[in-house]
Amino acid sequence: MKKIIALVLALVMALCMFAGCTETQNNDDGTKTIAVIAKGETHAFWQAVKAGAVKAGEEAGYKVTFRGPTAESEEYVPSQREMVQAALNDASVKALVLATIGTGFADELVSAFDKGLPVVEFDSGLYANGADITEGKDPTIGIVATDNRKAGAVVAENFYAYLKAQNVLVDGYKIGVIQHDSTATGIDRAEGFINKIEELAAADSINIVINRQVKANNPGEYKLGLQALKEDGAQAIFMTNEGVVNEVYPEISDNADTYKDILFCGFDAGTNQYNWIKDNGASYAKLVGSVAQDSYSIGYESVKLAIAKLEGKTVADVGIGGQWYTAENIDALKEQNIFYMG
């Protein structure tokens, strides 16, 4: 009988040790974690998102983890799915904040629903990327992202005010747009800009001419768009993202005389825009200003939204407006983590 009791006690102890080991592996130590999984991790934009997310977590007593694939390419969808699955298997994770780079996340989202984990979409919609959800099993509670049409309109309002102040607007004034791709983001930024600047010009009884170059995200495409607009006689050009700027900037700086009379405005941030706008048109074509996405606030508000849901509060989508910057305020926005280098 003593041997049987000893054997039972040993078995109970072994089971307890195994359970404790499993608990440690799942991080079920009482920590409340918000898992943020982004489209990337190393780019300055995502680092600013991370800073905002971590800050929101600290304020509310939550741990925030931040992961993302090596690059924003669909070939990294499998690795991003693994990140989501790992978060779902972590017992300390109480909510997910996701920005996916492609399709194939339907099973993970249903699993989040079954586990009772709220999911915040950020930067771009999960379902816009084709993630079908079983009816009645949608874990998403809201979207936090830049309102691209509104941000495009902010560019138009400020750029138009500059053109008007310079007294260059006349009937037939030609404005070009280099749209970075045919996704919803590219379309919304371009159309937000075009609709607003046409509205402003019409209010002043000025007929402007828009030439919209829609390009794929391939090397050399944006340079071709710039050259086409130059040949068409564009007097001003809007560039819809950092990638366009990064290709246009070397072209206009290497061929200063060719493009010196064109006025530019842009979107996003980055080292090239910083250097260009700081030059202030002294050496080559002038970059009047751009709109920066408030990436810090995107991260901050996404985590705040997840925590609000966990605390039983009413939640809703959050649209983050972009901020117009010029040579005068760019350094202040850099200090606030709104403008990023890189």
Side-chain angles (χ1 to χ4, degrees):
M1 179 62 69
K2 289 181 179 180
K3 289 182 179 180
I4 293 173
I5 293 173
L7 182 61
V8 170
L9 288 172
L11 181 60
V12 169
M13 289 177 65
L15 288 171
C16 288
M17 289 175 65
F18 176 78
C21 179
T22 302
E23 188 172 352
T24 301
Q25 288 176 341
N26 286 334
N27 299 322
D28 192 9
D29 57 0
T31 301
K32 299 181 296 182
T33 301
I34 308 293
V36 181
I37 300 167
K39 295 178 183 177
E41 188 170 12
T42 58
H43 190 280
F45 178 89
W46 298 117
Q47 285 298 303
V49 170
K50 179 180 179 180
V54 170
K55 180 63 175 177
E58 289 174 348
E59 290 178 352
Y62 281 77
K63 175 183 177 182
V64 171
T65 59
F66 192 96
R67 299 185 69 189
T70 304
E72 296 179 46
S73 170
E74 289 208 4
E75 66 182 286
Y76 290 98
V77 168
S79 67
Q80 195 182 36
R81 286 191 68 191
E82 290 176 4
M83 294 172 189
V84 175
Q85 290 163 356
L88 290 170
N89 291 330
D90 187 337
S92 76
V93 171
K94 307 306 179 187
L96 302 179
V97 176
L98 299 179
T100 60
I101 53 177
T103 60
F105 291 83
D107 291 343
E108 286 75 18
L109 293 170
V110 170
S111 179
F113 179 88
D114 290 340
K115 290 174 180 287
L117 300 179
V119 175
V120 175
E121 307 173 48
F122 81 103
D123 187 59
S124 61
L126 294 170
Y127 306 127
N129 284 333
D132 296 325
I133 283 294
T134 302
E135 186 176 353
K137 291 209 167 188
D138 181 359
T140 58
I141 60 168
I143 301 172
V144 179
T146 299
D147 185 327
N148 284 300
R149 284 185 178 266
K150 184 185 295 184
V154 169
V155 179
E157 289 169 351
N158 286 276
F159 193 52
Y160 185 84
Y162 177 86
L163 297 176
K164 192 171 180 179
Q166 297 301 308
N167 200 31
V168 297
L169 290 167
V170 294
D171 275 342
Y173 190 82
K174 291 189 174 184
I175 299 177
V177 175
I178 305 176
Q179 181 181 318
H180 64 272
D181 59 26
S182 296
T183 64
T185 300
I187 292 169
D188 287 349
R189 290 181 185 179
E191 293 186 353
F193 174 86
I194 292 168
N195 292 342
K196 176 54 71 173
I197 208 160
E198 288 181 336
E199 173 191 322
L200 294 169
D204 288 334
S205 300
I206 297 172
N207 177 44
I208 59 173
V209 179
I210 303 291
N211 184 342
R212 180 175 175 180
Q213 296 283 315
V214 181
K215 296 295 180 181
N217 183 21
N218 297 319
E221 287 284 314
Y222 305 139
K223 179 179 174 180
L224 291 175
L226 171 64
Q227 292 170 343
L229 291 174
K230 169 60 181 174
E231 290 173 8
D232 187 53
Q235 295 158 280
I237 294 176
F238 169 49
M239 304 165 290
T240 64
N241 82 344
E242 183 182 354
V244 178
V245 174
N246 288 343
E247 199 165 289
V248 167
Y249 176 63
E251 173 67 9
I252 66 102
S253 58
D254 290 343
N255 301 281
D257 289 341
T258 301
Y259 301 101
K260 64 181 180 180
D261 295 326
I262 301 177
L263 296 169
F264 289 83
C265 57
F267 208 108
D268 291 330
T271 302
N272 277 335
Q273 286 206 72
Y274 185 86
N275 292 337
W276 188 356
I277 207 167
K278 278 292 192 176
D279 179 81
N280 207 25
S283 304
Y284 34 79
K286 183 180 179 69
L287 177 61
V288 174
S290 290
V291 160
Q293 296 187 75
D294 192 346
S295 48
Y296 181 90
S297 290
I298 289 174
Y300 182 85
E301 294 295 339
S302 294
V303 169
K304 275 191 65 177
L305 190 66
I307 293 171
K309 181 65 176 179
L310 292 172
E311 294 178 348
K313 299 176 182 177
T314 301
V315 297
D317 293 347
V318 179
I320 305 295
Q323 294 204 36
W324 175 255
Y325 63 87
T326 65
E328 285 68 38
N329 68 338
I330 192 171
D331 287 319
L333 294 185
K334 187 154 72 74
E335 289 297 319
Q336 299 169 38
N337 291 312
I338 293 172
F339 185 95
Y340 57 82
M341 302 294 278

